[in-house]
């Protein structure tokens, strides 16, 4: 068991960063991830990640960090999701909306000293995604954030991860070009 990267650490760090200012909690789920706004059952907005998986928590946090105030009032931010088994057109749509979240997830992973793997998430589709091409787009978004500034919520979470895991400030050198990952 990995004692360095436990999902409970992420819950504590996320809650420390966002519970008071955004009335939002990170929750370990038993099934599929989902975002649930506050309702009659809970005074908290809830970012629910799958099965206690550390990587799932990082990914769901990245989606929350991108969602604006109005989207955060909607279940799953009001986004469309087409499950695994996508055709080429649907896969391209899926990848286009996953670039920014996966760029943030990669940055969170580096800040936590945790391995990152880009996910095309289409194991049962009739279209074989070009994983390297997709990772190039994610890489370009990471470089854009590093050069132009990381938005406030993800920057706050990155700083919290760096303090907890004692990792250095993010630099372009920490994000290898996709061909280097083979």
């Amino acid at each position: 068991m990995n004692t360095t990267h436990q999902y409970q650490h992420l819950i504590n760090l996320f809650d420390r960063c966002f519970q008071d200012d955004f009335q939002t909690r990170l929750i370990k789920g038993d099934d599929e991830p989902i975002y649930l706004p506050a309702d009659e059952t809970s005074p908290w907005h809830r970012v629910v990640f799958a099965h206690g998986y550390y990587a799932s928590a990082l990914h769901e946090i990245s989606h929350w960090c991108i969602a604006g105030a109005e989207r955060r009032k909607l279940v799953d931010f009001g986004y469309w999701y087409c499950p695994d088994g996508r055709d080429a057109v649907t896969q391209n749509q899926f990848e286009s909306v996953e670039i920014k979240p996966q760029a943030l997830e990669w940055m969170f992973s580096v800040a936590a000293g945790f391995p990152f793997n880009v996910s095309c998430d289409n194991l049962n589709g009739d279209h074989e995604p070009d994983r390297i091409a997709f990772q190039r787009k994610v890489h370009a978004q990471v470089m854009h954030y590093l050069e132009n500034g990381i938005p406030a919520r993800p920057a706050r979470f990155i700083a919290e991860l760096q303090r907890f895991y004692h990792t250095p400030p993010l630099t372009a050198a920490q994000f290898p070009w996709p061909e280097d990952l083979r």
Side-chain angles (χ1 to χ4, degrees), residues 51-129:
H51 307 288
Y53 296 140
Y54 193 93
S56 174
L58 292 178
H59 186 75
E60 296 313 310
I61 292 166
S62 73
H63 277 287
W64 180 82
C65 283
I66 288 170
E70 291 304 309
R71 289 260 185 205
R72 293 192 310 270
K73 294 176 184 175
L74 304 171
V75 171
D76 253 356
F77 313 111
Y79 287 128
W80 152 91
Y81 177 74
C82 183
D84 188 354
R86 295 180 284 276
D87 62 20
V89 170
T90 310
Q91 180 65 23
N92 286 336
Q93 291 172 330
F94 171 82
E95 289 179 12
S96 71
V97 299
E98 278 291 312
I99 293 168
K100 286 184 179 181
Q102 291 201 33
L104 290 178
E105 180 185 354
W106 195 359
M107 298 173 91
F108 297 158
S109 294
V110 169
F114 186 77
F116 171 77
N117 291 301
V118 72
S119 175
C120 297
D121 195 26
N122 198 29
L123 301 174
N124 298 314
D126 65 2
H127 171 71
E128 180 65 33

Side-chain angles (χ1 to χ4, degrees), residues 27 29-35 47-51 56-57 59-60 76:
I27 307 291
D30 294 324
D31 200 14
E32 292 298 312
I34 190 168
Y35 171 76
V47 178
V48 181
F49 63 100
H51 307 288
S56 174
H59 186 75
E60 296 313 310
D76 253 356

